[in-house]
Amino acid sequence: MSGELDQRARLAAFQWLRAHMDVHGEVLPRSLLAEGFTLDGIRVPLLGPQGIFKPRVCELPLSITTAPRGPYDDAWSPAGLLRYAYRGTDPAHPDNRGLRLAMERQAPLVYFFGLEPGQYVASFPVFVVRDNPQTLTFEVAVDDIQQLAVLDAQPASAIAEERTEIRREFVTAGVRRRLHQQAFRARCIEAYRTHCAFCRLRHQELLDAAHITADSETTGEPVVSNGLSLCKLHHAAFDRHFLTVRPDYTIEVRQSILDEEDGPMLLHGLKGMHDRPMYLPREVSLQPDLKRIEERYALFVQSTS
Ligand SMILES: [Zn+2]
């Protein structure tokens, strides 16, 4: 086994992930990741049954994985680094030793974040930056190539080291936000059993999680009771107050839209929703929070008057 092969496998894994994210979007099926690709005739899976994963062709671990529905917030340090638990409690376990070596050599890894069983979001390259044997955790900087490129284009205004530190925290916060949003979307769509809450469209690829209380507000948490599973059209229309939900969970379309004459999209897609009951999650705790709906309705009335 050579370091050269290890490195080639890592780069090939990043390329393979980028190509599949172009096709599938951000959320990748676990089966695809477990299957992986072939390098020099050897299969290279991207993850395995355990969190820390090293394929046969690599000297060092290639990926770390957080299982779906794992803890969210407590997994991040105040500095914005991902806290990744050791495998078991023995710091000398081969998996933990492997990850420590990856830290010493600053090997780029892939971080897989489980959204739902079988659905993962990949972040790469990520780097293990600290080892905490007392708490049995590693700390990982979840960097992101594209965001790094954007930041590298900024004029150098601080000393290099400080800039690296700021960049690392900023980028990791950005990735964390993206993972939270993907998790919110997945939970929301699942609660609505893959339906648009307004038109009942059932194509996952066309569904979003819309916030009832905007996420720019401090109370706009990404919880399902603050979300609606909506198709792209109804998400955009809801955000712009073309239509809304009344406190009795029926849909109300803005008067100016009802008065408008246009083609079939306006007629069926928007005007046709007026006065209809919205589609609700079966579980009451997942249904839209009434206080939020009332506040949202007040905003709608305000925006149309
Ligand atoms: Zn819809």
Side-chain angles (χ1 to χ4, degrees):
M1 235 183 288
S2 72
E4 188 265 340
L5 182 60
D6 179 283
Q7 232 173 25
R8 270 206 296 136
R10 241 161 257 281
L11 294 178
F14 297 160
Q15 260 169 20
W16 183 91
L17 281 168
R18 256 178 239 122
H20 280 84
M21 284 159 76
D22 282 346
V23 176
H24 294 266
E26 290 225 65
V27 182
L28 299 170
R30 186 183 175 106
S31 53
L32 181 77
L33 301 168
E35 178 64 31
F37 58 94
T38 311
L39 185 74
D40 295 353
I42 309 167
R43 197 165 70 80
V44 185
L46 279 93
L47 47 68
Q50 300 297 338
I52 302 170
F53 178 68
K54 184 185 88 61
R56 225 154 33 93
V57 293
C58 288
E59 271 182 283
L60 301 168
L62 172 64
S63 70
I64 53 175
T65 299
T66 302
R69 299 192 182 130
Y72 292 113
D73 291 307
D74 56 2
W76 301 87
S77 78
L81 295 165
L82 170 72
R83 284 204 187 100
Y84 196 80
Y86 280 9
R87 172 149 183 208
T89 53
D90 177 10
H93 185 285
D95 283 3
N96 300 330
R97 284 213 318 257
L99 210 50
R100 199 166 295 122
L101 204 55
M103 172 181 80
E104 284 157 13
R105 298 196 192 159
Q106 281 297 285
L109 308 169
V110 183
Y111 171 49
F112 290 112
F113 176 79
L115 295 172
E116 291 289 326
Q119 295 181 17
Y120 288 79
V121 176
S123 297
F124 56 90
V126 306
F127 296 91
V128 181
V129 295
R130 216 165 288 156
D131 178 18
N132 304 314
Q134 322 81 344
T135 55
L136 305 176
T137 54
F138 291 102
E139 288 183 34
V140 184
V142 185
D143 283 348
D144 182 291
I145 285 177
Q146 281 173 347
Q147 299 191 47
L148 286 177
V150 170
L151 284 172
D152 281 338
Q154 307 294 314
S157 54
I159 59 169
E161 199 169 319
E162 188 183 335
R163 200 161 139 255
T164 307
E165 205 44 47
I166 291 168
R167 185 173 83 168
R168 183 161 278 165
E169 286 185 25
F170 174 86
V171 170
T172 304
V175 171
R176 179 168 43 163
R177 194 179 146 75
R178 178 168 70 93
L179 297 179
H180 275 276
Q181 281 169 343
Q182 287 292 339
F184 172 55
R185 176 180 178 274
R187 289 196 302 265
C188 213
I189 292 174
E190 192 194 58
Y192 286 78
R193 300 187 296 287
T194 318
H195 287 78
C196 170
F198 292 173
C199 68
R200 292 161 173 71
L201 185 80
R202 301 209 53 188
H203 283 275
Q204 223 237 95
E205 310 89 308
L206 299 180
L207 296 177
D208 288 337
H211 283 78
I212 300 169
T213 306
D215 66 347
S216 53
E217 305 282 324
T218 47
T219 53
E221 308 95 333
V223 292
V224 176
S225 61
N226 184 32
L228 295 174
S229 165
L230 293 177
C231 70
K232 303 277 180 196
L233 171 70
H234 288 133
H235 183 188
F238 179 73
D239 281 353
R240 286 159 192 76
H241 298 297
F242 279 36
L243 77 184
T244 200
V245 179
R246 297 188 189 112
D248 67 353
Y249 293 135
T250 58
I251 301 161
E252 180 169 327
V253 177
R254 188 163 86 195
Q255 191 58 47
S256 62
I257 298 285
L258 292 172
D259 294 340
E260 203 179 313
E261 295 289 339
D262 194 27
M265 184 58 97
L266 184 85
L267 181 65
H268 302 292
L270 292 174
K271 291 163 82 167
M273 297 298 120
H274 191 58
D275 277 340
R276 283 175 45 168
M278 69 167 273
Y279 183 92
L280 287 167
R282 282 202 195 108
E283 205 178 305
V284 177
S285 68
L286 300 179
Q287 293 179 355
D289 180 64
L290 266 185
K291 198 171 157 275
R292 295 183 190 277
I293 291 285
E294 278 164 10
E295 285 168 6
R296 179 86 196 194
Y297 189 73
L299 285 177
F300 170 83
V301 171
Q302 218 175 50
S303 79
T304 54
S305 59

Tab-separated table of all heavy atoms in Angstrom, residues 100-130:
chain	number	residue	atom	x	y	z
A	100	ARG	N	-6.431	9.604	14.290
A	100	ARG	CA	-5.372	10.416	14.873
A	100	ARG	C	-4.243	10.611	13.857
A	100	ARG	O	-3.710	11.709	13.686
A	100	ARG	CB	-4.842	9.715	16.132
A	100	ARG	CG	-4.086	10.629	17.084
A	100	ARG	CD	-3.906	9.961	18.425
A	100	ARG	NE	-5.157	9.726	19.115
A	100	ARG	CZ	-5.599	8.532	19.524
A	100	ARG	NH1	-4.893	7.444	19.325
A	100	ARG	NH2	-6.765	8.424	20.136
A	101	LEU	N	-3.930	9.563	13.141
A	101	LEU	CA	-2.884	9.633	12.115
A	101	LEU	C	-3.322	10.571	10.979
A	101	LEU	O	-2.528	11.345	10.446
A	101	LEU	CB	-2.630	8.219	11.572
A	101	LEU	CG	-1.263	7.951	10.945
A	101	LEU	CD1	-0.150	8.304	11.916
A	101	LEU	CD2	-1.169	6.469	10.539
A	102	ALA	N	-4.607	10.505	10.654
A	102	ALA	CA	-5.143	11.405	9.613
A	102	ALA	C	-5.000	12.859	10.066
A	102	ALA	O	-4.749	13.753	9.258
A	102	ALA	CB	-6.611	11.077	9.340
A	103	MET	N	-5.131	13.082	11.377
A	103	MET	CA	-4.956	14.435	11.921
A	103	MET	C	-3.485	14.851	11.793
A	103	MET	O	-3.181	15.946	11.306
A	103	MET	CB	-5.382	14.461	13.390
A	103	MET	CG	-5.073	15.769	14.104
A	103	MET	SD	-5.559	15.737	15.843
A	103	MET	CE	-4.191	14.841	16.550
A	104	GLU	N	-2.583	13.958	12.190
A	104	GLU	CA	-1.156	14.297	12.142
A	104	GLU	C	-0.703	14.601	10.721
A	104	GLU	O	0.103	15.490	10.499
A	104	GLU	CB	-0.319	13.156	12.747
A	104	GLU	CG	-0.402	13.155	14.269
A	104	GLU	CD	-0.100	11.792	14.893
A	104	GLU	OE1	0.408	10.895	14.174
A	104	GLU	OE2	-0.389	11.618	16.097
A	105	ARG	N	-1.234	13.860	9.770
A	105	ARG	CA	-0.809	14.075	8.369
A	105	ARG	C	-1.706	15.063	7.644
A	105	ARG	O	-1.540	15.294	6.456
A	105	ARG	CB	-0.804	12.743	7.629
A	105	ARG	CG	0.179	11.779	8.237
A	105	ARG	CD	0.474	10.628	7.319
A	105	ARG	NE	1.189	9.581	8.025
A	105	ARG	CZ	1.225	8.326	7.626
A	105	ARG	NH1	0.582	7.962	6.531
A	105	ARG	NH2	1.890	7.426	8.310
A	106	GLN	N	-2.722	15.592	8.339
A	106	GLN	CA	-3.677	16.539	7.736
A	106	GLN	C	-4.283	15.983	6.444
A	106	GLN	O	-4.324	16.668	5.413
A	106	GLN	CB	-3.014	17.902	7.519
A	106	GLN	CG	-2.935	18.710	8.824
A	106	GLN	CD	-4.327	19.045	9.386
A	106	GLN	OE1	-5.014	19.916	8.864
A	106	GLN	NE2	-4.763	18.348	10.413
A	107	ALA	N	-4.702	14.726	6.515
A	107	ALA	CA	-5.333	14.095	5.356
A	107	ALA	C	-6.763	14.609	5.205
A	107	ALA	O	-7.493	14.692	6.196
A	107	ALA	CB	-5.357	12.583	5.533
A	108	PRO	N	-7.161	14.995	4.001
A	108	PRO	CA	-8.538	15.441	3.794
A	108	PRO	C	-9.507	14.261	3.852
A	108	PRO	O	-9.244	13.206	3.283
A	108	PRO	CB	-8.520	16.057	2.390
A	108	PRO	CG	-7.360	15.425	1.706
A	108	PRO	CD	-6.371	15.027	2.765
A	109	LEU	N	-10.615	14.441	4.559
A	109	LEU	CA	-11.603	13.374	4.725
A	109	LEU	C	-12.955	13.837	4.203
A	109	LEU	O	-13.145	15.021	3.913
A	109	LEU	CB	-11.771	13.023	6.209
A	109	LEU	CG	-10.543	12.707	7.048
A	109	LEU	CD1	-10.912	12.663	8.517
A	109	LEU	CD2	-9.951	11.372	6.626
A	110	VAL	N	-13.886	12.902	4.130
A	110	VAL	CA	-15.272	13.234	3.808
A	110	VAL	C	-16.085	13.097	5.096
A	110	VAL	O	-15.882	12.148	5.855
A	110	VAL	CB	-15.876	12.277	2.756
A	110	VAL	CG1	-17.293	12.713	2.386
A	110	VAL	CG2	-14.988	12.194	1.524
A	111	TYR	N	-16.969	14.046	5.345
A	111	TYR	CA	-17.891	13.931	6.476
A	111	TYR	C	-19.292	13.668	5.927
A	111	TYR	O	-19.820	14.469	5.155
A	111	TYR	CB	-17.876	15.217	7.303
A	111	TYR	CG	-18.958	15.276	8.369
A	111	TYR	CD1	-19.149	14.213	9.238
A	111	TYR	CD2	-19.774	16.391	8.497
A	111	TYR	CE1	-20.142	14.256	10.209
A	111	TYR	CE2	-20.768	16.444	9.466
A	111	TYR	CZ	-20.950	15.376	10.319
A	111	TYR	OH	-21.941	15.419	11.270
A	112	PHE	N	-19.877	12.542	6.300
A	112	PHE	CA	-21.255	12.226	5.897
A	112	PHE	C	-22.187	12.480	7.076
A	112	PHE	O	-21.982	11.951	8.171
A	112	PHE	CB	-21.390	10.762	5.470
A	112	PHE	CG	-20.705	10.450	4.178
A	112	PHE	CD1	-19.594	9.625	4.151
A	112	PHE	CD2	-21.172	10.987	2.986
A	112	PHE	CE1	-18.960	9.335	2.951
A	112	PHE	CE2	-20.545	10.702	1.785
A	112	PHE	CZ	-19.436	9.874	1.770
A	113	PHE	N	-23.203	13.285	6.815
A	113	PHE	CA	-24.181	13.629	7.833
A	113	PHE	C	-25.494	12.935	7.468
A	113	PHE	O	-26.059	13.206	6.406
A	113	PHE	CB	-24.342	15.146	7.850
A	113	PHE	CG	-25.385	15.675	8.794
A	113	PHE	CD1	-25.110	15.782	10.145
A	113	PHE	CD2	-26.618	16.089	8.321
A	113	PHE	CE1	-26.073	16.287	11.016
A	113	PHE	CE2	-27.578	16.594	9.189
A	113	PHE	CZ	-27.306	16.696	10.536
A	114	GLY	N	-25.956	12.026	8.326
A	114	GLY	CA	-27.186	11.289	8.036
A	114	GLY	C	-28.412	12.141	8.327
A	114	GLY	O	-28.548	12.673	9.422
A	115	LEU	N	-29.282	12.294	7.314
A	115	LEU	CA	-30.499	13.091	7.491
A	115	LEU	C	-31.617	12.201	7.981
A	115	LEU	O	-32.294	12.463	8.956
A	115	LEU	CB	-30.934	13.680	6.154
A	115	LEU	CG	-30.012	14.700	5.499
A	115	LEU	CD1	-30.528	15.004	4.120
A	115	LEU	CD2	-29.950	15.949	6.343
A	116	GLU	N	-31.819	11.131	7.243
A	116	GLU	CA	-32.865	10.149	7.489
A	116	GLU	C	-32.191	8.827	7.158
A	116	GLU	O	-31.192	8.826	6.445
A	116	GLU	CB	-34.023	10.369	6.502
A	116	GLU	CG	-34.808	11.641	6.715
A	116	GLU	CD	-35.655	11.596	7.972
A	116	GLU	OE1	-36.153	10.512	8.301
A	116	GLU	OE2	-35.775	12.641	8.622
A	117	PRO	N	-32.756	7.704	7.630
A	117	PRO	CA	-32.119	6.437	7.252
A	117	PRO	C	-31.968	6.378	5.721
A	117	PRO	O	-32.910	6.644	4.985
A	117	PRO	CB	-33.112	5.397	7.760
A	117	PRO	CG	-33.767	6.071	8.931
A	117	PRO	CD	-33.864	7.528	8.545
A	118	GLY	N	-30.775	6.099	5.267
A	118	GLY	CA	-30.535	5.978	3.830
A	118	GLY	C	-30.241	7.267	3.100
A	118	GLY	O	-29.962	7.250	1.915
A	119	GLN	N	-30.276	8.435	3.786
A	119	GLN	CA	-30.033	9.716	3.115
A	119	GLN	C	-28.898	10.482	3.791
A	119	GLN	O	-28.960	10.751	4.982
A	119	GLN	CB	-31.282	10.600	3.173
A	119	GLN	CG	-32.464	10.044	2.418
A	119	GLN	CD	-33.657	10.972	2.505
A	119	GLN	OE1	-33.529	12.146	2.849
A	119	GLN	NE2	-34.820	10.454	2.184
A	120	TYR	N	-27.897	10.823	2.993
A	120	TYR	CA	-26.703	11.459	3.546
A	120	TYR	C	-26.297	12.698	2.758
A	120	TYR	O	-26.472	12.745	1.549
A	120	TYR	CB	-25.536	10.466	3.557
A	120	TYR	CG	-25.744	9.407	4.609
A	120	TYR	CD1	-26.610	8.338	4.384
A	120	TYR	CD2	-25.134	9.518	5.846
A	120	TYR	CE1	-26.854	7.385	5.366
A	120	TYR	CE2	-25.357	8.575	6.840
A	120	TYR	CZ	-26.224	7.521	6.594
A	120	TYR	OH	-26.464	6.602	7.574
A	121	VAL	N	-25.746	13.680	3.481
A	121	VAL	CA	-25.153	14.858	2.847
A	121	VAL	C	-23.645	14.785	3.081
A	121	VAL	O	-23.211	14.511	4.195
A	121	VAL	CB	-25.706	16.160	3.457
A	121	VAL	CG1	-25.012	17.375	2.861
A	121	VAL	CG2	-27.208	16.268	3.225
A	122	ALA	N	-22.883	15.023	2.018
A	122	ALA	CA	-21.425	14.938	2.125
A	122	ALA	C	-20.809	16.323	2.222
A	122	ALA	O	-21.226	17.242	1.519
A	122	ALA	CB	-20.861	14.214	0.900
A	123	SER	N	-19.821	16.483	3.103
A	123	SER	CA	-19.004	17.690	3.144
A	123	SER	C	-17.551	17.264	2.992
A	123	SER	O	-17.122	16.323	3.657
A	123	SER	CB	-19.157	18.425	4.471
A	123	SER	OG	-20.472	18.865	4.629
A	124	PHE	N	-16.824	17.945	2.153
A	124	PHE	CA	-15.421	17.586	1.947
A	124	PHE	C	-14.687	18.748	1.287
A	124	PHE	O	-15.325	19.541	0.605
A	124	PHE	CB	-15.321	16.329	1.066
A	124	PHE	CG	-16.031	16.469	-0.260
A	124	PHE	CD1	-15.364	16.962	-1.384
A	124	PHE	CD2	-17.379	16.145	-0.385
A	124	PHE	CE1	-16.035	17.112	-2.593
A	124	PHE	CE2	-18.046	16.287	-1.595
A	124	PHE	CZ	-17.377	16.771	-2.693
A	125	PRO	N	-13.388	18.871	1.475
A	125	PRO	CA	-12.604	18.072	2.408
A	125	PRO	C	-12.778	18.584	3.829
A	125	PRO	O	-12.907	19.783	4.046
A	125	PRO	CB	-11.175	18.333	1.928
A	125	PRO	CG	-11.227	19.713	1.353
A	125	PRO	CD	-12.603	19.892	0.795
A	126	VAL	N	-12.783	17.685	4.802
A	126	VAL	CA	-12.811	18.097	6.209
A	126	VAL	C	-11.509	17.603	6.837
A	126	VAL	O	-10.891	16.658	6.338
A	126	VAL	CB	-14.045	17.527	6.963
A	126	VAL	CG1	-15.325	17.876	6.233
A	126	VAL	CG2	-13.946	16.031	7.193
A	127	PHE	N	-11.086	18.265	7.925
A	127	PHE	CA	-9.803	17.935	8.540
A	127	PHE	C	-9.953	17.763	10.040
A	127	PHE	O	-10.611	18.587	10.697
A	127	PHE	CB	-8.791	19.058	8.276
A	127	PHE	CG	-8.471	19.237	6.820
A	127	PHE	CD1	-9.210	20.119	6.035
A	127	PHE	CD2	-7.450	18.506	6.231
A	127	PHE	CE1	-8.927	20.272	4.683
A	127	PHE	CE2	-7.159	18.659	4.878
A	127	PHE	CZ	-7.903	19.543	4.102
A	128	VAL	N	-9.362	16.703	10.569
A	128	VAL	CA	-9.327	16.532	12.026
A	128	VAL	C	-8.263	17.491	12.553
A	128	VAL	O	-7.131	17.477	12.076
A	128	VAL	CB	-8.962	15.081	12.408
A	128	VAL	CG1	-8.951	14.923	13.924
A	128	VAL	CG2	-9.955	14.110	11.786
A	129	VAL	N	-8.643	18.365	13.482
A	129	VAL	CA	-7.702	19.373	13.957
A	129	VAL	C	-7.330	19.227	15.437
A	129	VAL	O	-6.391	19.854	15.895
A	129	VAL	CB	-8.227	20.812	13.711
A	129	VAL	CG1	-8.324	21.088	12.213
A	129	VAL	CG2	-9.569	21.041	14.371
A	130	ARG	N	-8.073	18.410	16.177
A	130	ARG	CA	-7.772	18.273	17.597
A	130	ARG	C	-8.187	16.892	18.086
A	130	ARG	O	-9.152	16.319	17.580
A	130	ARG	CB	-8.552	19.346	18.376
A	130	ARG	CG	-7.794	19.912	19.565
A	130	ARG	CD	-8.422	21.198	20.076
A	130	ARG	NE	-8.207	22.335	19.190
A	130	ARG	CZ	-8.998	23.412	19.140
A	130	ARG	NH1	-10.079	23.494	19.895
A	130	ARG	NH2	-8.719	24.408	18.314
